[in-house]
Amino acid sequence: MGDLYALDFDGVLCDSCGESSLSAVKAAKIRWPSLFNGVESSLEEWIVDQMHVVRPVVETGYENLLLVRLLLEIQLPSIRKSSVAAGLTVEEILENWTKLKPVIMNEWNENRDELIELFGKVRDEWLEKDFSSWIGANRLYPGVSDALKFASSKVYIVTTKQSRFADALLQQLAGVTLPSDRIYGLGMGFVYLSLMVTQNIGSIYYLVSF
């Protein structure tokens, strides 16, 4: 009988903020092309910088698209469609995101599943067209690779990231290949909970990011 570790991915094993922010800008341009007409590169760079600040509020990847658009509306009054953007600060986004998100989803008439699909598609296309730069936009935290390679307990990944992306990063950055049934990603529900409790294990340890 041994212990089992269920690890979150983003914020625990991997700093993916750079990749997710750049992917979100790419996806936002596809979702709302007219809003980005004439947007200068300096403003895009500002948005990416601010995405690093607001990253802690993101629970699921598609929220990055919402944050990109909200930051754009904060800076460009002429394109505003939401009632919350005027005068909104980054600090207020951090404090009130759970209240802001349903408001902008409704006012922008957005669909969660469509945003998830688009965000995944943009990442897939980047990965396929320029694998090295996609990998390079992510980094593992110090010590993660060795900890996974030499773990004496069974390790599972439980993440809101789509599992194929977590798997690719583990292989390329950590040199670790986990069986597919030990990576539980977005859309896989809570199957992992029933799996864990039916195994003959000593203790289960969860490590998640907040």
Side-chain angles (χ1 to χ4, degrees), residues 4-10 12-13 144 147-148 154-159 178 182 184 196 205-209:
L4 183 152
Y5 287 83
L7 306 177
D8 198 350
F9 194 80
D10 296 318
V12 172
L13 302 180
V144 164
L148 293 175
K154 187 171 288 188
V155 174
Y156 284 76
I157 306 299
V158 183
T159 175
L178 291 180
R182 284 165 59 185
Y184 291 87
M196 290 178 183
Y205 299 92
Y206 299 91
L207 184 57
V208 299
S209 63

Short mmCIF file of all heavy atoms in Angstrom, two decimals, residues 4-10 12-13 144 147-148 154-159 178 182 184 196 205-209:
data_model
loop_
_atom_site.label_atom_id
_atom_site.label_comp_id
_atom_site.label_asym_id
_atom_site.label_seq_id
_atom_site.Cartn_x
_atom_site.Cartn_y
_atom_site.Cartn_z
N LEU A 4 -0.56 8.29 -2.88
CA LEU A 4 -0.89 8.77 -4.22
C LEU A 4 -0.94 10.29 -4.19
O LEU A 4 -1.51 10.87 -3.27
CB LEU A 4 -2.24 8.19 -4.66
CG LEU A 4 -2.74 8.53 -6.07
CD1 LEU A 4 -3.64 7.41 -6.57
CD2 LEU A 4 -3.51 9.85 -6.09
N TYR A 5 -0.34 10.90 -5.19
CA TYR A 5 -0.34 12.36 -5.30
C TYR A 5 -1.14 12.78 -6.53
O TYR A 5 -0.88 12.30 -7.64
CB TYR A 5 1.08 12.90 -5.40
CG TYR A 5 1.85 12.84 -4.09
CD1 TYR A 5 2.47 11.66 -3.69
CD2 TYR A 5 1.91 13.95 -3.26
CE1 TYR A 5 3.15 11.60 -2.48
CE2 TYR A 5 2.60 13.89 -2.05
CZ TYR A 5 3.21 12.71 -1.67
OH TYR A 5 3.88 12.65 -0.47
N ALA A 6 -2.12 13.65 -6.33
CA ALA A 6 -2.90 14.23 -7.42
C ALA A 6 -2.49 15.69 -7.55
O ALA A 6 -2.79 16.50 -6.67
CB ALA A 6 -4.39 14.11 -7.13
N LEU A 7 -1.78 16.01 -8.62
CA LEU A 7 -1.19 17.33 -8.77
C LEU A 7 -1.91 18.15 -9.83
O LEU A 7 -2.19 17.65 -10.93
CB LEU A 7 0.28 17.20 -9.18
CG LEU A 7 1.18 16.35 -8.28
CD1 LEU A 7 2.58 16.28 -8.88
CD2 LEU A 7 1.22 16.91 -6.86
N ASP A 8 -2.20 19.39 -9.51
CA ASP A 8 -2.63 20.34 -10.52
C ASP A 8 -1.44 20.58 -11.45
O ASP A 8 -0.30 20.22 -11.13
CB ASP A 8 -3.09 21.63 -9.84
CG ASP A 8 -3.95 22.50 -10.74
OD1 ASP A 8 -4.06 22.21 -11.95
OD2 ASP A 8 -4.51 23.49 -10.23
N PHE A 9 -1.68 21.18 -12.59
CA PHE A 9 -0.59 21.38 -13.55
C PHE A 9 -0.14 22.84 -13.58
O PHE A 9 0.94 23.17 -13.12
CB PHE A 9 -1.03 20.93 -14.95
CG PHE A 9 0.12 20.80 -15.91
CD1 PHE A 9 0.94 19.69 -15.89
CD2 PHE A 9 0.40 21.81 -16.82
CE1 PHE A 9 2.02 19.57 -16.76
CE2 PHE A 9 1.47 21.71 -17.70
CZ PHE A 9 2.28 20.58 -17.67
N ASP A 10 -0.99 23.73 -14.09
CA ASP A 10 -0.63 25.14 -14.15
C ASP A 10 -0.55 25.73 -12.75
O ASP A 10 -1.47 25.59 -11.95
CB ASP A 10 -1.66 25.92 -14.97
CG ASP A 10 -1.70 25.48 -16.43
OD1 ASP A 10 -0.62 25.27 -17.00
OD2 ASP A 10 -2.80 25.32 -16.98
N VAL A 12 1.39 24.77 -10.41
CA VAL A 12 1.98 23.81 -9.50
C VAL A 12 3.23 23.18 -10.12
O VAL A 12 4.31 23.19 -9.54
CB VAL A 12 0.97 22.71 -9.10
CG1 VAL A 12 1.66 21.60 -8.30
CG2 VAL A 12 -0.16 23.31 -8.28
N LEU A 13 3.06 22.66 -11.33
CA LEU A 13 4.19 22.07 -12.05
C LEU A 13 4.76 23.02 -13.10
O LEU A 13 5.96 23.04 -13.35
CB LEU A 13 3.76 20.77 -12.74
CG LEU A 13 3.19 19.67 -11.85
CD1 LEU A 13 2.82 18.46 -12.70
CD2 LEU A 13 4.18 19.27 -10.76
N VAL A 144 10.85 20.32 -10.60
CA VAL A 144 9.69 19.52 -11.00
C VAL A 144 10.11 18.27 -11.76
O VAL A 144 9.61 17.17 -11.50
CB VAL A 144 8.71 20.36 -11.84
CG1 VAL A 144 7.70 19.46 -12.57
CG2 VAL A 144 7.97 21.34 -10.95
N ALA A 147 11.57 15.65 -9.48
CA ALA A 147 10.55 15.16 -8.55
C ALA A 147 9.63 14.15 -9.21
O ALA A 147 9.25 13.14 -8.61
CB ALA A 147 9.74 16.34 -8.00
N LEU A 148 9.28 14.39 -10.47
CA LEU A 148 8.41 13.47 -11.19
C LEU A 148 9.16 12.20 -11.60
O LEU A 148 8.62 11.09 -11.52
CB LEU A 148 7.83 14.15 -12.44
CG LEU A 148 6.85 15.30 -12.19
CD1 LEU A 148 6.46 15.95 -13.50
CD2 LEU A 148 5.60 14.81 -11.46
N LYS A 154 2.77 7.00 -6.55
CA LYS A 154 2.07 7.15 -7.83
C LYS A 154 1.60 8.59 -7.98
O LYS A 154 1.05 9.18 -7.04
CB LYS A 154 0.88 6.19 -7.90
CG LYS A 154 0.20 6.15 -9.26
CD LYS A 154 -0.83 5.03 -9.34
CE LYS A 154 -0.14 3.68 -9.41
NZ LYS A 154 -1.12 2.59 -9.69
N VAL A 155 1.82 9.17 -9.16
CA VAL A 155 1.47 10.57 -9.42
C VAL A 155 0.40 10.64 -10.50
O VAL A 155 0.51 9.99 -11.55
CB VAL A 155 2.71 11.38 -9.88
CG1 VAL A 155 2.30 12.79 -10.30
CG2 VAL A 155 3.75 11.44 -8.76
N TYR A 156 -0.63 11.43 -10.23
CA TYR A 156 -1.68 11.73 -11.21
C TYR A 156 -1.67 13.24 -11.47
O TYR A 156 -1.34 14.02 -10.57
CB TYR A 156 -3.06 11.33 -10.70
CG TYR A 156 -3.34 9.85 -10.75
CD1 TYR A 156 -2.79 8.99 -9.81
CD2 TYR A 156 -4.16 9.31 -11.74
CE1 TYR A 156 -3.03 7.63 -9.85
CE2 TYR A 156 -4.43 7.95 -11.79
CZ TYR A 156 -3.86 7.12 -10.84
OH TYR A 156 -4.11 5.77 -10.89
N ILE A 157 -2.02 13.63 -12.67
CA ILE A 157 -2.21 15.04 -13.00
C ILE A 157 -3.70 15.29 -13.13
O ILE A 157 -4.40 14.60 -13.88
CB ILE A 157 -1.51 15.41 -14.33
CG1 ILE A 157 -0.03 15.02 -14.29
CG2 ILE A 157 -1.68 16.89 -14.61
CD1 ILE A 157 0.77 15.69 -13.20
N VAL A 158 -4.20 16.26 -12.38
CA VAL A 158 -5.62 16.61 -12.41
C VAL A 158 -5.70 18.10 -12.73
O VAL A 158 -5.35 18.94 -11.89
CB VAL A 158 -6.31 16.31 -11.06
CG1 VAL A 158 -7.80 16.62 -11.15
CG2 VAL A 158 -6.09 14.87 -10.66
N THR A 159 -6.12 18.44 -13.94
CA THR A 159 -5.99 19.81 -14.41
C THR A 159 -7.18 20.26 -15.24
O THR A 159 -7.85 19.43 -15.87
CB THR A 159 -4.69 19.95 -15.25
OG1 THR A 159 -4.62 21.27 -15.81
CG2 THR A 159 -4.65 18.94 -16.38
N LEU A 178 3.73 10.05 -18.69
CA LEU A 178 2.78 9.39 -17.80
C LEU A 178 1.75 8.63 -18.63
O LEU A 178 1.38 9.09 -19.72
CB LEU A 178 2.06 10.41 -16.92
CG LEU A 178 2.87 11.13 -15.84
CD1 LEU A 178 1.98 12.09 -15.07
CD2 LEU A 178 3.52 10.14 -14.88
N ARG A 182 -3.45 8.49 -16.27
CA ARG A 182 -3.02 9.22 -15.07
C ARG A 182 -2.95 10.72 -15.31
O ARG A 182 -2.41 11.47 -14.51
CB ARG A 182 -1.68 8.67 -14.57
CG ARG A 182 -1.87 7.33 -13.86
CD ARG A 182 -0.58 6.57 -13.68
NE ARG A 182 0.41 7.31 -12.92
CZ ARG A 182 1.66 6.87 -12.74
NH1 ARG A 182 2.04 5.71 -13.26
NH2 ARG A 182 2.52 7.57 -12.04
N TYR A 184 -5.71 13.62 -16.03
CA TYR A 184 -7.13 13.95 -16.12
C TYR A 184 -7.28 15.43 -16.41
O TYR A 184 -6.98 16.28 -15.58
CB TYR A 184 -7.84 13.56 -14.82
CG TYR A 184 -7.90 12.07 -14.65
CD1 TYR A 184 -6.85 11.39 -14.03
CD2 TYR A 184 -8.97 11.34 -15.15
CE1 TYR A 184 -6.88 10.01 -13.91
CE2 TYR A 184 -9.00 9.96 -15.03
CZ TYR A 184 -7.95 9.31 -14.41
OH TYR A 184 -7.98 7.94 -14.30
N MET A 196 -9.58 6.97 -7.79
CA MET A 196 -8.68 7.01 -6.65
C MET A 196 -9.23 6.26 -5.45
O MET A 196 -8.51 5.53 -4.78
CB MET A 196 -8.41 8.47 -6.26
CG MET A 196 -7.57 9.22 -7.28
SD MET A 196 -7.36 10.92 -6.77
CE MET A 196 -6.43 11.55 -8.17
N TYR A 205 -2.90 12.70 -1.65
CA TYR A 205 -2.49 14.08 -1.42
C TYR A 205 -2.84 14.91 -2.65
O TYR A 205 -2.47 14.56 -3.77
CB TYR A 205 -0.98 14.16 -1.16
CG TYR A 205 -0.55 13.37 0.06
CD1 TYR A 205 -0.13 12.05 -0.06
CD2 TYR A 205 -0.58 13.95 1.32
CE1 TYR A 205 0.25 11.32 1.06
CE2 TYR A 205 -0.18 13.23 2.45
CZ TYR A 205 0.23 11.92 2.31
OH TYR A 205 0.61 11.19 3.41
N TYR A 206 -3.56 16.00 -2.44
CA TYR A 206 -3.92 16.90 -3.53
C TYR A 206 -3.07 18.16 -3.44
O TYR A 206 -2.92 18.73 -2.36
CB TYR A 206 -5.40 17.31 -3.44
CG TYR A 206 -6.37 16.17 -3.54
CD1 TYR A 206 -6.82 15.52 -2.40
CD2 TYR A 206 -6.85 15.75 -4.77
CE1 TYR A 206 -7.72 14.47 -2.48
CE2 TYR A 206 -7.76 14.70 -4.86
CZ TYR A 206 -8.19 14.07 -3.72
OH TYR A 206 -9.07 13.04 -3.80
N LEU A 207 -2.53 18.57 -4.55
CA LEU A 207 -1.79 19.83 -4.59
C LEU A 207 -2.34 20.65 -5.75
O LEU A 207 -2.20 20.27 -6.91
CB LEU A 207 -0.29 19.60 -4.79
CG LEU A 207 0.60 20.84 -4.74
CD1 LEU A 207 0.42 21.59 -3.43
CD2 LEU A 207 2.06 20.46 -4.93
N VAL A 208 -3.03 21.74 -5.43
CA VAL A 208 -3.67 22.56 -6.45
C VAL A 208 -3.19 23.99 -6.31
O VAL A 208 -2.68 24.41 -5.27
CB VAL A 208 -5.21 22.52 -6.33
CG1 VAL A 208 -5.71 21.11 -6.52
CG2 VAL A 208 -5.67 23.06 -4.98
N SER A 209 -3.36 24.76 -7.38
CA SER A 209 -2.97 26.17 -7.35
C SER A 209 -4.17 27.02 -7.04
O SER A 209 -5.30 26.68 -7.38
CB SER A 209 -2.37 26.58 -8.70
OG SER A 209 -3.33 26.47 -9.72
#
